[in-house]
Amino acid sequence: MHWSMNTLPMPLYVELGVHSLSGLLWTVVLLFLWHCYRMGSDLPIPGHTHAGKLKSGSRRSMMSRGGSCAGTKCSARSKLSRSDQITPFISMESEEDEDQGQGYLTPVLSHALFPAQASAEAKKLYAALQEYAKRYSWVGMGRIHKGLREQVRLNDHSAIQKPHLFFLPDVPSVPFFPRDAHRHDIEVLEANYAVILAEFKTVYQRGIDPKSGWTCLGPKGQAVFSLYNAGVCVAGNCRSCPCTYRTLLSLRTFISSNSLGSAGFWLLGPGATLGSSYGPTNTRLRCHLGPPDAGPRVILSVDLWHPNVAAAERQALDFMFSPDL
């Protein structure tokens, strides 16, 4: 028997067309991949806990060794146990880091214990750090937090660095830093050397007198003509040296917003000597721009940020040592 092709049903891909069949196949493939992704993401990872995703009703806390876990990295002996309440936990300091005094480059506990024997000034700075972290963040405050805690023990042992006001851990100390550490600011000061020297001569010729803006520091001609004193602009003296003042403002690392920074002309008379001493902090470098050998021994002293102090730390120190506090 002969059958006509017109009476047979046409295949589906012929009716829908090649393009429609291709689109359908791609849809099925994408649905399959999405299903595999969802199934895989729901599987727990062995030995991994999501500490930051505990529900508000959960009463779990991480315990290790003496009953507490110092950070997100706990030892193999760590275990989960139940407690009556959740302890605020934002530390990323590891247990080993706490034992060895490291881990200060990470966020720290906002409620960490502060040494009871700390001085009133240290406690004031710690309160200022807490207020800064409350307004902004604890991120990047680890070294400052560690430095405040160790300030008490710093004066009890011999060390190259013994700042009496604030010590920042792991800040290298050398007698002289290379020009590259502050190349831009040094080049700016040297480029304006002639006008700075001219303005110094003007105020020097008026006489070393408090009425002229000078502050006498010793009986042998030691005096300072301050442009910035403890982070505060000395307006009258800056008006006497406008070009020097503008040069200071053009420096990228000049400490001009907190009480750790100063700038001005320092004069040393004949026969005067300078004894050894520790500065108030190791977070700054003091740059000296000296005139020619002829004439009085004078320098323009400018306090610059230490190159190993991070931007976030500088902002926090500006807040903690604000001249208004």
Side-chain angles (χ1 to χ4, degrees):
M1 181 182 293
H2 177 74
W3 293 92
S4 173
M5 294 296 295
N6 295 331
T7 60
L8 295 176
M10 299 298 293
L12 180 62
Y13 67 89
V14 176
E15 294 181 358
L16 296 178
V18 177
H19 295 289
S20 299
L21 179 60
S22 176
L24 180 62
L25 290 176
W26 275 111
T27 302
V28 173
V29 171
L30 291 176
L31 288 174
F32 176 77
L33 293 176
W34 177 82
H35 174 73
C36 293
Y37 169 78
R38 290 300 303 271
M39 291 295 294
S41 62
D42 291 337
L43 293 177
I45 302 175
H48 181 75
T49 57
H50 297 278
K53 296 184 179 180
L54 293 178
K55 295 182 179 179
S56 59
S58 174
R59 293 186 177 182
R60 295 183 294 175
S61 63
M62 290 191 289
M63 306 292 292
S64 67
R65 289 190 181 178
S68 64
C69 179
T72 56
K73 294 183 179 179
C74 300
S75 65
R77 290 178 288 179
S78 301
K79 61 180 180 179
L80 290 176
S81 64
R82 297 187 178 273
S83 60
D84 294 334
Q85 60 183 358
I86 297 178
T87 302
F89 184 82
I90 60 172
S91 175
M92 294 179 63
E93 227 173 9
S94 67
E95 185 177 60
E96 292 77 12
D97 288 343
E98 185 179 18
D99 294 340
Q100 300 174 7
Q102 301 297 322
Y104 40 79
L105 293 178
T106 54
V108 293
L109 285 170
S110 61
H111 63 284
L113 296 177
F114 195 69
Q117 66 273 28
S119 64
E121 183 64 27
K123 292 179 179 178
K124 179 181 177 181
L125 292 176
Y126 184 67
L129 175 61
Q130 289 182 310
E131 179 62 25
Y132 173 85
K134 181 180 178 181
R135 295 187 185 185
Y136 303 100
S137 172
W138 279 103
V139 176
M141 298 299 103
R143 284 205 303 180
I144 296 179
H145 186 271
K146 178 180 171 64
L148 290 174
R149 285 184 295 170
E150 292 190 346
Q151 188 71 38
V152 178
R153 302 193 298 267
L154 184 65
N155 297 326
D156 297 335
H157 59 82
S158 176
I160 297 178
Q161 300 184 48
K162 273 191 179 181
H164 59 81
L165 186 58
F166 175 70
F167 170 77
L168 188 66
D170 270 9
V171 173
S173 175
V174 295
F176 297 96
F177 276 78
R179 291 173 55 91
D180 290 341
H182 291 286
R183 176 173 295 275
H184 171 270
D185 290 352
I186 292 176
E187 290 178 350
V188 169
L189 289 171
E190 291 178 342
N192 290 274
Y193 171 79
V195 66
I196 292 174
L197 179 60
E199 290 185 340
F200 162 73
K201 290 180 177 180
T202 300
V203 298
Y204 178 71
Q205 290 171 358
R206 295 177 185 172
I208 310 301
D209 190 281
K211 296 180 180 179
S212 302
W214 287 89
T215 301
C216 297
L217 303 177
K220 294 185 178 181
Q222 291 179 257
V224 58
F225 188 84
S226 296
L227 300 175
Y228 272 83
N229 184 22
V232 178
C233 173
V234 184
N237 290 357
C238 288
R239 283 194 291 267
S240 298
C241 303
C243 294
T244 305
Y245 169 69
R246 287 193 294 268
T247 299
L248 292 175
L249 295 184
S250 67
L251 302 180
R252 296 175 179 174
T253 59
F254 173 46
I255 304 177
S256 61
S257 301
N258 66 59
S259 58
L260 301 176
S262 297
F265 295 110
W266 288 76
L267 185 66
L268 191 63
T273 59
L274 297 177
S276 60
S277 62
Y278 291 100
T281 180
N282 64 335
T283 60
R284 73 183 189 188
L285 300 181
R286 179 154 285 181
C287 178
H288 291 174
L289 180 68
D293 294 336
R297 198 274 187 181
V298 61
I299 58 170
L300 173 66
S301 176
V302 183
D303 288 334
L304 306 176
W305 282 111
H306 193 290
N308 289 79
V309 180
E313 294 171 326
R314 297 179 185 182
Q315 181 177 339
L317 292 174
D318 280 343
F319 182 87
M320 294 168 57
F321 291 95
S322 172
D324 298 331
L325 296 180

